[in-house]
Amino acid sequence: MREADYDLMELVVVRLGSSDCPQEKEELFQFLTALFYPHRADFRERMERYIDFGSNPELEKEVADMTGLGWSILEEGRTKGKAEDILDLLADLGSIPAELSRRICAEEDAEKLRRWLKLAARADSVEQFAERM
């Protein structure tokens, strides 16, 4: 993992112990699952089981921000993955010029990356890909 990504990573360790109440363990697991996956469509619904958002406008705003953050992190990962896939396909065709590699990695438009991925899969050479993109 790159050092620049450390701020996106946190570690949580939960010792469930030897409780005779499996329902408590399941509830904790459900809460942590909801908390760590804010991009899920049911995030708000799951969290409302534990937190009353309506009584705290500041908390309401944070939930909206957190949900947006979860989606943006997910989309960023998909974008990076597409760029890496394009570069992998092109590497099979030959040497990739540094400028072309930078351009692909810098692209944030998911639709453009999707088109480039298809183009890379059909290209006969890196040069052909570069000309058609």
Side-chain angles (χ1 to χ4, degrees), residues 63-87:
V63 168
D65 291 346
M66 189 172 181
T67 303
L69 176 63
W71 276 113
S72 67
I73 290 171
L74 183 65
E75 287 304 311
E76 181 182 340
R78 287 179 178 163
T79 299
K80 286 182 179 181
K82 282 184 180 137
E84 289 173 4
D85 290 344
I86 293 166
L87 293 173

Side-chain angles (χ1 to χ4, degrees), residues 6 9 11 20-21 31 54 68 71 84-85 90 97 106 114 116:
Y6 289 164
M9 186 176 79
L11 175 66
D20 292 330
C21 187
F31 174 74
W71 276 113
E84 289 173 4
D85 290 344
L90 294 177
R114 188 180 69 75
W116 287 355

